[in-house]
Amino acid sequence: MTDTDQHPLRVAIVGSGPSGFYAAGHLLSQAGRPIEVDVFERLPTPWGLVRGGVAPDHPKIKSVTRMYEKTARKEGFRFFGNVEIGTDVSHDELASWYDAVIYASGTSGDKKSGIAGEDLAGSLSATEFVGWYNAHPDFKDLDPDLSVSRAVVIGNGNVAIDCARMLTLSREELAVTDIADHALDLLVDSSIEEILVLGRRGPEQAAFTNPELLELGELADADVIVDPADLLIPEDLQEDELDATARKNVEILREYAERLPSGKRKRVVLRFLASPVELIGDDRVEQVRVVRNELVRDEAGGLRARPTETEEIIDAGLVLRAIGYTGFAIPGVPFDERKGLIPNDGDGRVLGPDGEVVPGLYTAGWIKRGPSGVIGTNKKCAQDTVNAVLADFEGHESTPKVDTEDVAAVLRNRVPGLVDYAGWELIDAHEKGLGEPQGRPRVKLTLVDEMVRIAAEQEPAAH
Ligand SMILES: Cc1cc2nc3c(=O)[nH]c(=O)nc-3n(C[C@H](O)[C@H](O)[C@H](O)COP(=O)(O)OP(=O)(O)OC[C@H]3O[C@@H](n4cnc5c(N)ncnc54)[C@H](O)[C@@H]3O)c2cc1C
Ligand SMILES: NC(=O)c1ccc[n+]([C@@H]2O[C@H](COP(=O)([O-])OP(=O)(O)OC[C@H]3O[C@@H](n4cnc5c(N)ncnc54)[C@H](OP(=O)(O)O)[C@@H]3O)[C@@H](O)[C@H]2O)c1
């Protein structure tokens, strides 16, 4: 038996979303050397955006958590929930406890549009709106005013589609999901009749994926409306510049443009080459000033939106900004403010301010690559990072300075509401139990204190 066999490599992972769990899974499936993984999560609940982002009416997508549950059952895995790195535990402490630390902390901040009136009441980021309907504890009190007749959704990505679709679903469709209880009544009783989705560039540049765009055309309670004039291909755009997804999107949009509205209760109107430039209202949003854009080539040959002189004012009482996300800096961890992510060498090794690799420090997922890509994209990304960890520690003795049990003891002392994996399983069972009589997958808890209380109804366990 070698020294390396005697001392497992000890890795901390910050964040329990897809990238954190894919990294944990890959680490714990290494036959070559024993490895221990501790996952730290600021919420008492795991799964990141799979719980707090994926739309409630997409339950199949959430079933990916069954894979993560298998990882959590592996020898060497521990979960420390309700522990925020940078607040409850500093990065320096973490780095001194483990051989390697992988930041898989996601990009939960919303990108700002920078337009006037952005902060008026009734103007919400997708982070807030999505977090609210998904029962994220940070957004449970959002209470958006949906007693308005038109909503404007800014952005042409899948999050914009999620937001638009959620505003159209009926009680029958939502009542069987894990939507937050507080959002169900408000959404289905809303007065919103029209949802206007604004893309700053053309249909060819939309970031929608095909199944999500197709789903908009199949809504039970909403017609989808596209103006054929918006679908004229710009003269200098070469067909071969479009990838398969963009081509299919244009085909789908053309079919929508040919449809006659069938008089459904609501309308989702997709507009292109249109940017809001100001949100207007005294105390809250009442109108949106929108400018018509044209596409121009930038220096790199890409197509960007340039405002024209043509403007219009549109009445709208709700504005949802679905224009992307950005990461937060964690004290002590290098951060690229401009890009909103942790600088790294592409394989996940974190780079310091001097551009040099910081030994023992890694990153994976959205905070490594930026906020794009579906759940599965994070698998390869996390595996690349773990492969970098394994390569760097090949033949190296594990040298953490604190015993694994001591880490758990420090955390139990410092974080009164610490939730371990067995505690999460109790929360999970409780939520499923609440959902069962209603024919719902679960009823999500929104109060951290309540989650902690339920998680504590167990004998403390190491796993
Ligand atoms: C609204 C929305 C809907 C989506 N829907 C789909 C979909 O239907 N299908 C699909 O394939 N993809 C979907 N995606 C994309 C998918 O969710 C992401 O690709 C994926 O979640 C990114 O994984 P991640 O682990 O990098 O980040 P996240 O999932 O964001 O996980 C990061 C985790 O880190 C935790 N954390 C952050 N900071 C700290 C800290 N300081 N200490 C401890 N923990 C911390 C967070 O609480 C979180 O749990 C959606 C994304 C969004 C935004
Ligand atoms: N069902 C699913 O599979 C699903 C659901 C949700 C999310 N996701 C994934 O999660 C990732 C993130 O999705 P996302 O929708 O947040 O991001 P996204 O795909 O990057 O789309 C962002 C959109 O916002 C636009 N935008 C950015 N800044 C803007 C501004 N200042 N003004 C107007 N528009 C602006 C972008 O336009 P430009 O192109 O012009 O920059 C783009 O259309 C994506 O990879 C997505 O596929 C998947």
Side-chain angles (χ1 to χ4, degrees):
M1 192 180 263
T2 66
D3 280 348
T4 308
D5 291 327
Q6 286 164 359
H7 301 288
L9 183 71
R10 290 180 45 209
V11 183
I13 297 176
V14 180
S16 65
S19 56
F21 263 92
Y22 286 128
H26 196 43
L27 280 163
L28 293 172
S29 60
Q30 298 303 313
R33 77 185 287 175
I35 299 181
E36 290 175 352
V37 175
D38 288 349
V39 172
F40 291 83
E41 169 57 52
R42 67 176 282 266
L43 294 176
T45 54
W47 321 144
L49 284 168
V50 178
R51 180 179 164 99
V54 173
D57 61 328
H58 285 171
K60 273 198 195 133
I61 291 172
K62 296 176 199 231
S63 62
V64 70
T65 58
R66 290 201 204 113
M67 295 300 297
Y68 309 153
E69 286 167 355
K70 280 189 188 158
T71 294
R73 283 194 285 270
K74 287 192 176 190
E75 185 72 30
F77 177 92
R78 295 193 299 184
F79 176 73
F80 293 117
N82 207 20
V83 181
E84 184 162 25
I85 303 306
T87 307
D88 300 307
V89 173
S90 73
H91 166 68
D92 288 349
E93 276 179 295
L94 206 60
S96 71
W97 293 346
Y98 295 89
D99 295 303
V101 180
I102 301 176
Y103 279 89
S105 44
T107 54
S108 60
D110 49 295
K111 211 180 111 186
K112 295 281 175 198
S113 70
I115 61 174
E118 183 171 26
D119 296 324
L120 280 174
S123 161
L124 304 173
S125 67
T127 316
E128 295 170 299
F129 185 63
V130 170
W132 170 74
Y133 66 61
N134 274 329
H136 192 297
D138 291 358
F139 305 106
K140 65 179 179 1
D141 299 322
L142 189 71
D143 198 22
D145 182 358
L146 305 183
S147 65
V148 299
S149 57
R150 184 184 287 122
V152 165
V153 178
I154 311 171
N156 261 187
N158 285 334
V159 173
I161 290 194
D162 276 352
C163 291
R165 194 182 66 253
M166 286 300 292
L167 289 169
T168 70
L169 298 180
S170 65
R171 184 173 296 280
E172 291 68 39
E173 289 166 303
L174 282 177
V176 292
T177 72
D178 66 0
I179 187 170
D181 270 352
H182 56 231
L184 178 60
D185 286 342
L186 223 55
L187 277 170
V188 298
D189 295 339
S190 94
S191 326
I192 293 172
E193 291 167 353
E194 182 170 297
I195 300 113
L196 183 59
V197 181
L198 299 181
R200 65 176 167 184
R201 298 194 288 161
E204 299 83 3
Q205 292 80 38
F208 310 136
T209 47
N210 303 149
E212 283 62 34
L213 185 57
L214 277 169
E215 205 181 349
L216 271 192
E218 290 159 7
L219 295 172
D221 276 350
D223 285 313
V224 62
I225 296 173
V226 177
D227 181 348
D230 263 358
L231 300 182
L232 300 173
I233 294 188
E235 274 170 24
D236 73 336
L237 182 67
Q238 309 297 320
E239 271 282 322
D240 60 7
E241 280 186 74
L242 301 185
D243 63 17
T245 300
R247 273 173 222 251
K248 181 72 185 168
N249 276 347
V250 173
E251 191 185 312
I252 296 166
L253 290 164
R254 285 204 181 116
E255 193 268 310
Y256 290 169
E258 284 170 9
R259 288 189 190 183
L260 291 175
S262 67
K264 289 180 183 170
R265 194 161 72 82
K266 295 177 189 250
R267 291 179 302 280
V268 176
V269 182
L270 302 176
R271 292 262 309 263
F272 298 93
L273 291 168
S275 285
V277 282
E278 184 186 1
L279 307 187
I280 305 165
D282 290 332
D283 301 321
R284 51 170 305 109
V285 178
E286 290 162 28
Q287 294 179 314
V288 183
R289 191 154 62 85
V290 175
V291 70
R292 176 87 187 163
N293 295 326
E294 59 188 359
L295 286 181
V296 289
R297 293 267 170 206
D298 59 22
E299 281 166 9
L303 285 166
R304 69 173 179 82
R306 184 170 66 188
T308 65
E309 300 283 302
T310 310
E311 287 191 355
E312 63 185 306
I313 305 264
I314 295 170
D315 290 339
L318 176 71
V319 174
L320 301 175
R321 304 180 311 268
I323 59 172
Y325 292 75
T326 186
F328 288 119
I330 295 178
V333 182
F335 190 70
D336 182 332
E337 290 288 347
R338 197 177 59 80
K339 293 186 179 157
L341 43 78
I342 298 179
N344 66 89
D345 70 350
D347 288 329
R349 294 181 185 89
V350 174
L351 304 177
D354 53 1
E356 296 294 309
V357 167
V358 182
L361 192 51
Y362 301 84
T363 182
W366 275 20
I367 193 66
K368 167 187 173 188
R369 310 188 313 273
S372 82
V374 292
I375 293 167
T377 319
N378 301 292
K379 187 170 186 181
K380 161 94 171 52
C381 172
Q383 288 179 345
D384 287 346
T385 298
V386 166
N387 290 339
V389 175
L390 296 171
D392 292 351
F393 282 88
E394 182 153 17
H396 285 241
E397 174 67 83
S398 167
T399 54
K401 295 161 193 72
V402 182
D403 186 69
T404 44
E405 271 320 301
D406 290 345
V407 169
V410 169
L411 292 169
R412 275 195 294 271
N413 270 334
R414 195 179 301 176
V415 184
L418 185 68
V419 174
D420 61 12
Y421 197 76
W424 153 246
E425 287 180 317
L426 288 178
I427 298 170
D428 190 33
H430 181 86
E431 290 188 337
K432 285 177 174 159
L434 292 175
E436 204 184 345
Q438 302 176 37
R440 303 174 62 186
R442 67 178 64 238
V443 173
K444 286 179 178 170
L445 302 179
T446 54
L447 295 172
V448 168
D449 286 351
E450 190 181 3
M451 295 181 204
V452 167
R453 182 178 57 69
I454 288 160
E457 288 170 3
Q458 53 156 341
E459 287 300 310
H463 177 66

